[in-house]
Amino acid sequence: MKTVCIDGEPQYRDIVLRDVARPLGAAGHQFDWFEESFADVEAAIARAAGYDALYVIGDQGPVPSGLLRANPALKLVSFVGTGARRFVAMDEAAECGVTVTNVPDFASQSVAEHALALAFAVARRIPEGDNLVREGHWQKNQGLKLAGRRLGVVGAGAIGSRMIGLGNGIGMDVVYWSRTVDATRDERLGARRVELDELFATSDVVSLHVTHTAETDGLVSRSLLNSMGDKAILVNTARAEIVDQLALAELLERGAIFGAGIDVFIEEPPRSDSVPPAGSNVVLSAHVGFHTDEADDVFGLAGQNILAFAAGTPTNVIN
C-alpha cells in the first residue's frame, strides 16, 4: 500500500518518520513525506497521483475539493486528530468510495487541562495582570474563586468526562449536558445531567466539549449565551462553529459576562480584526489544547489506522 503525506511540516518530520514511516515500511508498505501545501490545488492533486492513501496532518488547511475525484486510486484518508470532517469533504469521500479515519481519543486529558487553565486564567485575570505588571502598574483587579461555583460541561465524551473530573477535583459543583441519556452516567462521572438551557442559565463556568457535526453546528445559540450571568465564563476548546460567533462577540463587547477562554476559531489563524480586543478579559490561545507531549501519540495512531485498513480490518472509520 502506498501512502503520501503532502502537508508535512518540519516540526513533525522526525516523529512521523519514526512512528509512521518505519512501521509501515516494516509491514511492506510505502510512505512518502512532502512538506508542501494544499493551497496549491493543482500541485496537490498531482502529488497524490498513484497513491492508495492520504495521510493528512491538517495544519495546512483542508484537503482541496476535487483531489479525491481526480485520484481514483485513493481509497483511504487517515486524518491526524479528531476533526477530520473539518478537513475532508465527506460527501466527496462518500462519492469516491474513500474511507476516512481519525484518531478519536489521543489527548483528552491535555485538552481538559487546557480548558481548566483557560477558566483559571480568565477567572483570575492572569494575562491582564501580567500586562499591567510589565507596564509598571500595580493594579489589583478583582478575580473569581472557582471552588464552590458551578461548572457546566457541554458534552460527556472522553474530554468532557475528564473536565468533569477536574471540576470535581477543585471543589466545583459540576453539571453536564449530553445528547444521550444514560441512567448510570451520573454516578460514574460524579455529576448530574441537566438540559442545555438550565446549564447555561445556572453555570458560572461553561466549558464546551462536543464535536462539530451538522447537529452541533450553532448549538450554543444567542438565547443560550444571553442566559449566562454577568459573572459567568465561557470556555471553548472544541470547535468555533458550535457557537453563534456574532452573538458571542456582542456579549463580550457589552461586558455581559465575566470573560471567555477561546482556543478555537472559524478561521485559523484568525484575522486580527476578528478577535476580541485586549482588555476585554478574553484569553486566547492558538488551538493548542491538545499540544503536549501526550499529543505526539496521535501521529503513530493515525499510522496504525493505515496498517489496519491495509490488513482489511479498518479502525476509527468516521464515514
Side-chain angles (χ1 to χ4, degrees), residues 222-291:
R222 178 179 295 272
S223 62
L224 288 175
L225 291 169
N226 285 339
S227 72
M228 297 176 71
D230 59 1
K231 295 297 184 183
I233 295 168
L234 180 73
V235 175
N236 190 3
T237 55
R239 285 290 184 270
E241 289 85 351
I242 67 179
V243 179
D244 184 327
Q245 293 295 310
L246 178 59
L248 176 60
E250 293 173 357
L251 196 73
L252 294 169
E253 186 176 356
R254 298 198 314 269
I257 61 174
F258 190 78
I262 301 172
D263 187 48
V264 289
F265 306 87
I266 297 290
E267 181 182 353
E268 296 185 347
R271 301 187 317 275
S272 58
D273 61 356
S274 69
V275 299
S280 58
N281 200 25
V282 178
V283 179
L284 308 176
S285 56
H287 203 154
V288 294
F290 69 97
H291 218 303

Coordinates of all heavy atoms in Angstrom, one line a residue, residues 222-291:
R222 N -27.7 32.2 20.4 CA -27.8 33.5 21.0 C -28.6 33.5 22.3 O -28.2 34.1 23.3 CB -28.4 34.5 20.1 CG -28.6 35.9 20.6 CD -29.2 36.8 19.6 NE -28.3 37.0 18.4 CZ -27.4 38.0 18.4 NH1 -27.3 38.8 19.4 NH2 -26.6 38.1 17.3
S223 N -29.7 32.7 22.3 CA -30.5 32.7 23.5 C -29.8 32.0 24.7 O -29.9 32.5 25.9 CB -31.8 32.0 23.2 OG -31.6 30.6 22.9
L224 N -29.0 31.0 24.4 CA -28.3 30.3 25.5 C -27.2 31.2 26.0 O -27.0 31.4 27.2 CB -27.6 29.0 25.0 CG -28.6 27.8 24.7 CD1 -27.8 26.7 24.1 CD2 -29.2 27.4 26.0
L225 N -26.5 31.9 25.1 CA -25.4 32.8 25.5 C -26.0 34.0 26.4 O -25.4 34.4 27.4 CB -24.7 33.4 24.3 CG -23.8 32.4 23.6 CD1 -23.4 33.0 22.2 CD2 -22.6 32.0 24.4
N226 N -27.1 34.5 25.9 CA -27.7 35.6 26.7 C -28.3 35.2 28.0 O -28.6 36.1 28.9 CB -28.9 36.2 25.8 CG -28.3 37.1 24.7 OD1 -27.2 37.5 24.7 ND2 -29.1 37.3 23.7
S227 N -28.4 33.9 28.3 CA -28.9 33.5 29.6 C -27.8 33.4 30.6 O -28.1 33.2 31.8 CB -29.6 32.1 29.4 OG -28.7 31.1 29.2
M228 N -26.6 33.5 30.2 CA -25.5 33.4 31.1 C -25.4 34.6 32.0 O -25.8 35.8 31.6 CB -24.1 33.3 30.4 CG -24.1 32.0 29.5 SD -22.5 31.9 28.5 CE -21.3 31.6 29.8
G229 N -25.0 34.4 33.3 CA -24.9 35.5 34.2 C -23.7 36.4 34.0 O -22.8 36.1 33.3
D230 N -23.7 37.6 34.6 CA -22.7 38.6 34.4 C -21.3 38.2 35.0 O -20.3 38.8 34.7 CB -23.1 40.0 34.9 CG -23.4 40.0 36.3 OD1 -23.3 39.0 37.0 OD2 -23.8 41.1 36.8
K231 N -21.3 37.2 35.9 CA -20.1 36.6 36.4 C -19.7 35.3 35.8 O -18.8 34.6 36.3 CB -20.2 36.5 37.9 CG -20.4 37.7 38.7 CD -19.2 38.7 38.6 CE -19.4 39.9 39.5 NZ -18.3 40.9 39.3
A232 N -20.3 35.0 34.7 CA -20.1 33.7 34.0 C -18.9 33.7 33.1 O -18.5 34.8 32.5 CB -21.3 33.2 33.3
I233 N -18.3 32.6 32.8 CA -17.1 32.4 32.0 C -17.5 31.4 30.9 O -17.9 30.3 31.3 CB -15.9 32.0 32.7 CG1 -15.5 33.2 33.7 CG2 -14.7 31.7 31.8 CD1 -14.4 32.7 34.7
L234 N -17.2 31.6 29.7 CA -17.3 30.6 28.6 C -16.0 30.2 28.2 O -15.1 31.0 27.9 CB -18.1 31.2 27.4 CG -18.3 30.2 26.2 CD1 -19.4 29.2 26.6 CD2 -18.7 31.0 25.0
V235 N -15.8 28.8 28.1 CA -14.5 28.3 27.6 C -14.8 27.4 26.4 O -15.7 26.5 26.5 CB -13.8 27.4 28.7 CG1 -12.6 26.7 28.2 CG2 -13.5 28.3 29.9
N236 N -14.1 27.6 25.3 CA -14.3 26.8 24.1 C -12.9 26.2 23.6 O -12.1 26.9 23.1 CB -14.9 27.6 23.0 CG -15.4 26.7 21.9 OD1 -15.2 25.5 21.9 ND2 -15.9 27.3 20.8
T237 N -12.7 24.9 23.9 CA -11.6 24.2 23.3 C -12.1 23.1 22.3 O -11.3 22.2 22.0 CB -10.8 23.5 24.4 OG1 -11.6 22.6 25.2 CG2 -10.1 24.5 25.4
A238 N -13.3 23.3 21.9 CA -13.9 22.3 21.0 C -13.8 22.7 19.5 O -12.8 22.5 18.9 CB -15.4 22.0 21.4
R239 N -14.8 23.4 19.0 CA -14.8 24.0 17.7 C -15.6 25.3 17.7 O -16.6 25.4 18.4 CB -15.4 23.0 16.7 CG -14.6 21.8 16.3 CD -13.3 22.2 15.5 NE -12.6 21.1 15.0 CZ -11.5 20.6 15.7 NH1 -11.2 21.1 16.9 NH2 -10.8 19.6 15.2
A240 N -15.1 26.3 17.0 CA -15.7 27.6 17.0 C -17.1 27.5 16.4 O -18.0 28.3 16.8 CB -14.9 28.6 16.2
E241 N -17.3 26.6 15.4 CA -18.6 26.5 14.7 C -19.8 26.1 15.6 O -20.9 26.3 15.2 CB -18.5 25.5 13.5 CG -17.6 26.0 12.4 CD -16.1 25.7 12.6 OE1 -15.8 25.2 13.7 OE2 -15.3 25.9 11.7
I242 N -19.5 25.6 16.7 CA -20.7 25.2 17.6 C -21.3 26.4 18.3 O -22.3 26.3 19.0 CB -20.3 24.1 18.6 CG1 -19.3 24.6 19.6 CG2 -19.8 22.9 17.9 CD1 -18.9 23.5 20.7
V243 N -20.6 27.6 18.2 CA -21.1 28.8 18.9 C -21.5 29.8 17.9 O -20.9 30.0 16.9 CB -19.9 29.3 19.8 CG1 -20.4 30.6 20.5 CG2 -19.4 28.3 20.8
D244 N -22.6 30.5 18.2 CA -23.0 31.7 17.5 C -22.0 32.8 17.7 O -22.0 33.5 18.7 CB -24.4 32.1 17.9 CG -25.0 33.3 17.1 OD1 -24.2 34.1 16.6 OD2 -26.2 33.4 16.9
Q245 N -21.1 32.9 16.7 CA -19.9 33.8 16.9 C -20.3 35.3 17.0 O -19.7 36.1 17.8 CB -18.9 33.6 15.8 CG -18.2 32.3 15.8 CD -17.4 32.0 17.0 OE1 -16.5 32.9 17.4 NE2 -17.6 30.9 17.7
L246 N -21.3 35.7 16.2 CA -21.8 37.1 16.3 C -22.4 37.4 17.7 O -22.1 38.4 18.3 CB -22.8 37.4 15.2 CG -23.4 38.8 15.2 CD1 -22.2 39.8 15.0 CD2 -24.4 38.9 14.0
A247 N -23.2 36.5 18.2 CA -23.8 36.7 19.5 C -22.7 36.7 20.6 O -22.8 37.5 21.5 CB -24.8 35.6 19.8
L248 N -21.7 35.9 20.5 CA -20.7 35.9 21.5 C -19.9 37.2 21.4 O -19.6 37.8 22.5 CB -19.7 34.7 21.3 CG -18.5 34.6 22.2 CD1 -18.9 34.5 23.6 CD2 -17.6 33.4 21.8
A249 N -19.6 37.6 20.2 CA -18.8 38.9 20.1 C -19.6 40.0 20.7 O -19.0 40.9 21.4 CB -18.5 39.2 18.6
E250 N -20.9 40.1 20.5 CA -21.7 41.1 21.1 C -21.8 41.0 22.6 O -21.8 42.1 23.3 CB -23.1 41.1 20.5 CG -23.2 41.4 19.0 CD -24.5 41.2 18.4 OE1 -25.4 40.7 19.1 OE2 -24.7 41.5 17.2
L251 N -21.9 39.8 23.1 CA -21.9 39.6 24.5 C -20.7 40.1 25.2 O -20.7 40.8 26.2 CB -22.1 38.1 24.8 CG -22.5 37.6 26.2 CD1 -24.0 37.9 26.4 CD2 -22.3 36.1 26.3
L252 N -19.5 39.8 24.6 CA -18.2 40.2 25.1 C -18.1 41.7 25.0 O -17.5 42.4 25.9 CB -17.1 39.5 24.5 CG -17.0 38.0 24.7 CD1 -16.0 37.3 23.8 CD2 -16.7 37.7 26.2
E253 N -18.5 42.3 23.9 CA -18.4 43.7 23.7 C -19.2 44.5 24.8 O -18.8 45.6 25.2 CB -18.9 44.1 22.3 CG -18.6 45.6 21.9 CD -19.0 45.9 20.5 OE1 -19.4 44.9 19.8 OE2 -18.9 47.0 20.1
R254 N -20.3 44.0 25.1 CA -21.2 44.6 26.2 C -20.7 44.3 27.6 O -21.1 45.0 28.5 CB -22.6 44.1 26.1 CG -23.4 44.3 24.8 CD -24.9 44.2 25.0 NE -25.3 43.0 25.7 CZ -25.5 41.8 25.2 NH1 -25.5 41.7 23.9 NH2 -25.9 40.8 25.9
G255 N -19.7 43.4 27.7 CA -19.3 43.1 29.1 C -20.4 42.4 29.8 O -20.4 42.4 31.1
A256 N -21.2 41.6 29.1 CA -22.4 41.0 29.7 C -22.0 39.7 30.5 O -22.8 39.2 31.3 CB -23.4 40.6 28.7
I257 N -20.8 39.2 30.2 CA -20.3 38.0 31.0 C -18.9 38.4 31.6 O -18.3 39.4 31.1 CB -20.3 36.7 30.3 CG1 -19.3 36.8 29.0 CG2 -21.7 36.3 29.8 CD1 -19.1 35.5 28.3
F258 N -18.4 37.7 32.5 CA -17.1 38.0 33.1 C -16.0 37.9 32.1 O -15.1 38.7 32.2 CB -16.9 37.1 34.3 CG -15.7 37.5 35.2 CD1 -15.9 38.5 36.1 CD2 -14.5 36.9 35.1 CE1 -14.8 38.9 36.9 CE2 -13.4 37.3 35.9 CZ -13.6 38.3 36.8
G259 N -16.1 36.9 31.2 CA -15.0 36.7 30.3 C -15.1 35.4 29.5 O -16.1 34.6 29.7
A260 N -14.1 35.1 28.7 CA -14.1 33.9 27.9 C -12.7 33.4 27.7 O -11.7 34.2 27.7 CB -14.8 34.1 26.6
G261 N -12.5 32.1 27.6 CA -11.3 31.5 27.2 C -11.5 30.7 25.9 O -12.3 29.8 25.8
I262 N -10.8 31.1 24.8 CA -11.0 30.6 23.5 C -9.8 30.0 22.9 O -8.8 30.7 22.8 CB -11.6 31.7 22.6 CG1 -12.9 32.3 23.2 CG2 -11.9 31.2 21.2 CD1 -13.5 33.5 22.5
D263 N -9.9 28.8 22.4 CA -8.7 28.1 21.8 C -9.0 27.8 20.4 O -8.0 27.3 19.7 CB -8.4 26.8 22.6 CG -7.2 26.1 22.1 OD1 -6.1 26.8 22.0 OD2 -7.2 24.9 21.9
V264 N -10.2 28.0 19.9 CA -10.5 27.6 18.5 C -11.3 28.8 17.8 O -12.0 29.5 18.4 CB -11.4 26.4 18.5 CG1 -10.6 25.1 18.9 CG2 -12.6 26.5 19.5
F265 N -11.1 28.8 16.5 CA -11.6 29.9 15.7 C -12.2 29.4 14.4 O -11.7 28.4 13.9 CB -10.5 31.0 15.4 CG -9.8 31.4 16.7 CD1 -8.8 30.8 17.2 CD2 -10.3 32.6 17.4 CE1 -8.1 31.2 18.4 CE2 -9.7 33.0 18.6 CZ -8.6 32.3 19.1
I266 N -13.1 30.2 13.8 CA -13.6 29.8 12.5 C -12.5 29.8 11.5 O -12.4 28.8 10.7 CB -14.7 30.8 12.1 CG1 -15.9 30.7 13.0 CG2 -15.2 30.5 10.6 CD1 -16.7 29.4 13.0
E267 N -11.7 30.8 11.4 CA -10.6 30.9 10.5 C -9.3 30.8 11.4 O -9.2 31.6 12.3 CB -10.6 32.2 9.8 CG -9.5 32.4 8.8 CD -9.6 33.8 8.1 OE1 -10.6 34.5 8.3 OE2 -8.6 34.1 7.3
E268 N -8.4 29.9 11.1 CA -7.2 29.8 11.9 C -6.0 29.9 11.0 O -5.9 29.1 10.0 CB -7.3 28.4 12.6 CG -8.4 28.3 13.6 CD -8.4 27.0 14.4 OE1 -7.6 26.1 14.0 OE2 -9.1 26.9 15.4
P269 N -5.1 30.8 11.3 CA -5.2 31.8 12.4 C -6.3 32.9 12.1 O -6.6 33.2 10.9 CB -3.8 32.4 12.4 CG -3.3 32.3 11.0 CD -3.8 31.0 10.5
P270 N -6.8 33.4 13.1 CA -7.9 34.4 12.9 C -7.3 35.8 12.5 O -6.2 36.1 12.7 CB -8.6 34.5 14.3 CG -7.4 34.2 15.2 CD -6.6 33.2 14.5
R271 N -8.1 36.5 11.7 CA -7.7 37.9 11.4 C -7.7 38.7 12.7 O -8.5 38.5 13.6 CB -8.7 38.5 10.4 CG -8.9 37.8 9.1 CD -9.7 38.6 8.1 NE -10.9 39.2 8.8 CZ -12.0 38.5 8.9 NH1 -12.2 37.3 8.6 NH2 -13.0 39.1 9.5
S272 N -6.8 39.7 12.7 CA -6.6 40.5 13.9 C -7.9 41.3 14.3 O -8.2 41.5 15.4 CB -5.5 41.4 13.8 OG -5.6 42.3 12.7
D273 N -8.7 41.6 13.2 CA -9.9 42.4 13.5 C -11.1 41.5 13.9 O -12.2 42.0 14.1 CB -10.3 43.2 12.3 CG -10.6 42.4 11.0 OD1 -10.4 41.2 11.1 OD2 -11.0 43.0 10.0
S274 N -10.9 40.2 14.0 CA -12.0 39.3 14.3 C -11.9 38.8 15.7 O -12.8 38.0 16.2 CB -12.0 38.1 13.3 OG -10.9 37.3 13.5
V275 N -10.8 39.1 16.5 CA -10.7 38.7 17.8 C -11.1 39.8 18.8 O -11.0 41.0 18.5 CB -9.2 38.2 18.1 CG1 -8.9 37.0 17.2 CG2 -8.2 39.3 17.9
P276 N -11.5 39.4 20.0 CA -11.9 40.4 21.0 C -10.7 41.3 21.3 O -9.6 40.8 21.4 CB -12.3 39.6 22.2 CG -12.7 38.3 21.6 CD -11.8 38.0 20.5
P277 N -10.9 42.6 21.6 CA -9.8 43.5 21.9 C -9.2 43.2 23.2 O -9.8 42.6 24.1 CB -10.5 44.8 21.9 CG -11.9 44.6 22.3 CD -12.2 43.2 21.7
A278 N -7.9 43.5 23.4 CA -7.2 43.4 24.7 C -7.9 44.2 25.7 O -8.5 45.3 25.4 CB -5.8 43.9 24.5
G279 N -8.0 43.7 26.9 CA -8.7 44.3 28.0 C -10.1 43.9 28.2 O -10.8 44.3 29.1
S280 N -10.6 43.0 27.3 CA -12.0 42.5 27.4 C -12.1 41.3 28.2 O -13.1 40.6 28.3 CB -12.5 42.2 26.0 OG -11.7 41.3 25.3
N281 N -11.0 40.9 28.9 CA -10.9 39.7 29.7 C -11.3 38.4 28.9 O -12.1 37.6 29.4 CB -11.8 39.8 31.0 CG -11.4 38.8 32.1 OD1 -10.2 38.3 32.1 ND2 -12.3 38.4 32.9
V282 N -10.7 38.4 27.7 CA -10.8 37.2 26.9 C -9.4 36.7 26.7 O -8.6 37.4 26.2 CB -11.5 37.5 25.5 CG1 -11.5 36.3 24.7 CG2 -12.9 38.1 25.7
V283 N -9.2 35.4 27.1 CA -7.9 34.8 27.0 C -7.9 33.9 25.7 O -8.8 33.0 25.6 CB -7.6 34.0 28.2 CG1 -6.2 33.3 28.1 CG2 -7.6 34.8 29.5
L284 N -7.0 34.1 24.8 CA -6.9 33.4 23.6 C -5.7 32.5 23.5 O -4.6 32.8 24.1 CB -6.8 34.4 22.4 CG -7.9 35.5 22.4 CD1 -7.6 36.5 21.2 CD2 -9.3 34.9 22.2
S285 N -5.8 31.4 22.9 CA -4.7 30.5 22.6 C -4.8 29.9 21.2 O -5.9 29.9 20.6 CB -4.5 29.4 23.6 OG -5.7 28.6 23.8
A286 N -3.7 29.5 20.6 CA -3.7 29.1 19.2 C -4.0 27.7 18.9 O -3.2 27.0 18.3 CB -2.3 29.5 18.6
H287 N -5.2 27.2 19.3 CA -5.7 25.9 19.1 C -4.6 24.9 19.5 O -4.1 24.0 18.8 CB -6.0 25.6 17.6 CG -6.9 24.5 17.4 ND1 -7.8 24.4 16.3 CD2 -7.1 23.3 18.1 CE1 -8.5 23.2 16.4 NE2 -8.1 22.6 17.5
V288 N -4.2 25.0 20.8 CA -3.1 24.2 21.4 C -3.6 23.3 22.5 O -2.8 22.8 23.2 CB -2.0 25.1 21.8 CG1 -1.3 25.8 20.7 CG2 -2.4 26.1 22.9
G289 N -4.9 23.2 22.7 CA -5.4 22.4 23.8 C -4.8 21.0 23.8 O -4.5 20.4 24.9
F290 N -4.5 20.4 22.6 CA -4.0 19.0 22.5 C -2.5 19.0 22.5 O -1.9 18.0 22.6 CB -4.5 18.4 21.2 CG -3.8 19.0 20.0 CD1 -2.7 18.5 19.4 CD2 -4.4 20.2 19.5 CE1 -2.1 19.1 18.3 CE2 -3.8 20.8 18.4 CZ -2.7 20.2 17.8
H291 N -1.8 20.2 22.5 CA -0.4 20.3 22.1 C 0.5 20.1 23.3 O 1.1 21.0 23.9 CB -0.1 21.6 21.5 CG 0.9 21.5 20.3 ND1 2.1 21.0 20.5 CD2 0.7 21.9 19.0 CE1 2.8 21.1 19.3 NE2 1.9 21.6 18.4

